[in-house]
Amino acid sequence: MLDRASKTFFHLIAQSRTLKKLSSRYGMRKPSSFARRFIAGETAAEAIEAAGAVEGRGMAVTMDLLGESVTSLGKADAATGDYVAVIDAMVAAGVGRNISLKLTQLGLDVDKASAIDNLRKILERAETAGFFVRIDMENSPYTEVTLEIYETLWRHGYHHLGVVLQSALYRSESDLAAINAFGGHVRLVKGAYKEPKAVAHPKKADVDAAYARMLRALIINGHDPAIATHDPVMIELARTIAREHNVAPERFEFQMLYGVRRDLQSMLVKAGYRVRVYIPFGREWFPYFMRRLGERPANVTFVIRGILGETG
Ligand SMILES: Cc1cc2nc3c(=O)[nH]c(=O)nc-3n(C[C@H](O)[C@H](O)[C@H](O)COP(=O)(O)OP(=O)(O)OC[C@H]3O[C@@H](n4cnc5c(N)ncnc54)[C@H](O)[C@@H]3O)c2cc1C
């Protein structure tokens, strides 16, 4: 209930122009600015530096050039070019070869065929450079089309490609069974978006219960599963399921967000598990930042303190 209310609240304030202006002005200004807790920087160079530090702690990375809901083909083409440049910069810097992206950033809202073309351009460059590409999952109006594009590209031989399923959605358990059956790669998350009751579990307890069921199906029947959560209960459950089914720690990975539960990230590495940190960067950080606040309203206090500190 609280979870739903806080997601609704942050969804509403995410539309506030004043807040966006204030945040954009102060959020990333200095290394100590408040948005930097979750966002590695506005440039690829800053993100690559953050990635190097994460790798130095024994973890892998995936880089996300922030951007979504692009409204023109010109902007979608620009985002595609930017992603190719990020791949090249990562290769030059020698950081881990893994990126995450969103289809609406590549023009899905404008023209589906162009978005697929753009994705293929990135995939071609990624394949030559030995990258894995993950399509992030956006809110429920995009679930069907994202999974359809994923499966089509998979059938065309793009196997260095993965997708994300959200346990919040009723449909996800059957989507997982279908993807496991054709060999696809799934990152399992609870879901970051405010969704209508018609498509998603309204209660957090039900989202968690679905996550636990999907975890079992993913670890036992999945292919290079990515368990993306900061929830210690789910992490412990994953470890137990893997042990019980003799799934070695090299056969799956935990994923967490940059700046969230660094203690847990290190604990898992020490215990011999693979951990990948999702590193977001870029100028379009506001919607991503608001989703992180919505997950944990306690984060708002440090943002308000940050704004007051910077303006005062
Ligand atoms: C690598 C990765 C990729 C993701 N990709 C997607 C995606 O493509 N689509 C999508 O819808 N969602 C995505 N998410 C977000 C996900 O859906 C959840 O919204 C988010 O992970 C919070 O859920 P949780 O599993 O950590 O559990 P929760 O039950 O929400 O949280 C468990 C604990 O984690 C900590 N925590 C969680 N969030 C925060 C935070 N923001 N700040 C501080 N502490 C926090 C708290 O200690 C909390 O008690 C991704 C998450 C990760 C880790």
Side-chain angles (χ1 to χ4, degrees), residues 37-38 136-137 164 166 187 189-193 204 228-231 255-257 260-261 278 292 295-296 299:
R37 168 163 170 190
F38 298 116
D136 285 344
M137 187 57 83
V164 179
Q166 301 152 326
R187 172 200 291 156
V189 301
K190 290 187 187 176
Y193 298 87
K204 185 168 189 314
T229 181
H230 317 92
D231 182 344
Q255 295 192 350
M256 294 191 212
L257 301 176
V260 179
R261 294 303 309 259
Y278 182 103
R292 300 295 76 86
E295 275 153 12
R296 195 157 178 267
N299 289 336

Side-chain angles (χ1 to χ4, degrees), residues 4-198:
R4 202 178 151 72
S6 94
K7 275 187 181 165
T8 309
F9 176 66
F10 284 98
H11 177 74
L12 287 175
I13 62 170
Q15 340 249 317
S16 154
R17 282 165 188 271
T18 318
L19 195 69
K20 184 170 182 182
K21 249 188 18 224
L22 268 178
S23 296
S24 307
R25 185 170 321 149
Y26 297 114
M28 299 285 288
R29 202 162 61 155
K30 294 187 288 190
S32 59
S33 297
F34 57 85
R36 289 196 185 249
R37 168 163 170 190
F38 298 116
I39 293 129
E42 291 197 337
T43 65
E46 286 172 309
I48 285 171
E49 194 184 326
V54 167
E55 289 182 340
R57 291 166 55 218
M59 297 164 206
V61 296
T62 181
M63 307 287 258
D64 171 34
L65 171 57
L66 292 166
E68 53 198 90
S69 311
V70 151
T71 50
S72 76
L73 287 183
K75 285 185 180 155
D77 287 349
T80 306
D82 289 347
Y83 252 109
V84 170
V86 167
I87 291 176
D88 291 340
M90 289 172 70
V91 170
V95 293
R97 302 188 174 204
N98 194 305
I99 54 172
S100 296
L101 48 76
K102 291 182 176 54
L103 292 179
T104 64
Q105 185 177 13
L106 304 184
L108 186 58
D109 282 332
V110 192
D111 176 45
K112 181 175 157 190
S114 302
I116 297 173
D117 271 357
N118 286 338
L119 178 57
R120 286 174 94 136
K121 279 182 201 149
I122 295 170
L123 288 174
E124 296 300 334
R125 180 71 194 99
E127 189 159 34
T128 335
F131 272 64
F132 182 83
V133 179
R134 178 83 59 183
I135 307 174
D136 285 344
M137 187 57 83
E138 300 179 70
N139 50 342
S140 58
Y142 300 104
T143 313
E144 182 67 30
V145 65
T146 302
L147 294 178
E148 180 209 312
I149 291 173
Y150 179 60
E151 185 168 350
T152 306
L153 288 173
W154 181 273
R155 298 210 184 279
H156 279 83
Y158 293 98
H159 291 177
H160 56 308
L161 183 62
V163 74
V164 179
L165 291 177
Q166 301 152 326
S167 71
L169 301 190
Y170 303 130
R171 58 174 290 163
S172 292
E173 289 183 63
S174 77
D175 290 333
L176 178 59
I179 297 176
N180 281 346
F182 70 73
H185 307 302
V186 170
R187 172 200 291 156
L188 178 61
V189 301
K190 290 187 187 176
Y193 298 87
K194 179 181 103 60
E195 296 288 1
K197 279 186 207 157

Side-chain angles (χ1 to χ4, degrees), residues 191-211:
Y193 298 87
K194 179 181 103 60
E195 296 288 1
K197 279 186 207 157
V199 300
H201 300 287
K203 291 193 192 127
K204 185 168 189 314
D206 293 329
V207 175
D208 289 350
Y211 195 98

